[in-house]
Amino acid sequence: MTVNMTKGQAISLQKNDGGSLTAVRMGLGWQAAPRRGLFGSRTREVDLDASAVLFADKQPVDVVFFRHLVSDDGSVRHTGDNLVGGVGQGGDDEAILVDLARIPVHIDQIVFTVNSFTGQTFQEVQNAFCRLVDETNGQELARYTLAGGGAYTAQIMAKVHRSGPGWAMTALGTPANGRTFQDLMPAILPHL
């Protein structure tokens, strides 16, 4: 059963049977919004990029994004860059796989961001979402829908963080501006 998350909402990543999830996929999907012009509606391709920044005690220690597809320890993997979105017709256009069992003990948070590498604002994007999927069985666990567009070029979507012996996910949904995850670091820090 999927939980449709609201900004600031947190959910445990414990399974219904009391066990812990071992592998999750953070999926990102979007479509370019049609723009009305003199000769009718048209769409312009929008290149959104998903990134995962790994933190240890509020310090960034690694990042996974389109130019660094696998974390140094191999526990987090980006499936590849999608330059236009909408390919999955509602499915994931970019995905980051997280092997929770392999994440080193000093990593306590992973923050997922999305940014418009080409600098277009979210006013030019529609049907954008991030979702968390149990990678072992394909079941969608949680979905955060990006509503309302906006005059910003990035969003700090969610974080997966240690919670007791397991993990939890918090929907952040914080608008920001920046073309890369590096540009977003000042906006990420207050959420750690």
Side-chain angles (χ1 to χ4, degrees):
M1 180 171 119
T2 298
V3 174
N4 287 313
M5 299 183 74
T6 57
K7 184 175 180 172
Q9 183 180 3
I11 61 164
S12 170
L13 298 184
Q14 298 294 319
K15 289 187 173 188
N16 291 338
D17 64 5
S20 293
L21 292 171
T22 56
V24 295
R25 174 174 19 111
M26 179 64 71
L28 168 67
W30 75 94
Q31 295 175 326
R35 295 172 42 188
R36 296 194 59 92
L38 185 59
F39 301 107
S41 294
R42 60 192 162 111
T43 57
R44 183 175 153 205
E45 294 176 348
V46 177
D47 179 11
L48 296 184
D49 292 318
S51 302
V53 185
L54 288 69
F55 288 89
D57 196 28
K58 298 185 180 184
Q59 297 298 315
V61 294
D62 201 355
V63 66
V64 174
F65 69 117
F66 70 93
R67 289 191 180 144
H68 185 244
L69 294 175
V70 180
S71 62
D72 293 339
D73 59 45
S75 65
V76 181
R77 183 173 56 88
H78 195 297
T79 60
D81 196 13
N82 179 322
L83 302 176
V84 297
V87 174
Q89 299 300 316
D92 299 336
D93 294 311
E94 290 195 12
I96 298 175
L97 307 173
V98 181
D99 186 343
L100 295 169
R102 288 185 55 199
I103 294 177
V105 294
H106 70 286
I107 304 292
D108 55 8
Q109 299 183 71
I110 302 170
V111 176
F112 296 93
T113 66
V114 57
N115 54 275
S116 173
F117 188 72
T118 49
Q120 292 141 310
T121 69
F122 278 82
Q123 292 168 326
E124 298 178 59
V125 175
Q126 67 182 10
N127 302 324
F129 65 87
C130 79
R131 67 187 191 131
L132 194 69
V133 176
D134 181 340
E135 193 61 15
T136 60
N137 64 15
Q139 178 185 1
E140 183 174 291
L141 304 169
R143 177 178 288 256
Y144 179 69
T145 302
L146 209 140
Y152 48 88
T153 60
Q155 187 154 128
I156 301 155
M157 295 294 286
K159 70 177 179 177
V160 172
H161 49 96
R162 292 191 188 272
S163 177
W167 294 85
M169 175 185 169
T170 301
L172 299 172
T174 303
N177 282 297
R179 293 180 56 236
T180 66
F181 74 90
Q182 294 103 322
D183 298 337
L184 304 179
M185 291 307 289
I188 292 172
L189 295 178
H191 297 288
L192 301 178

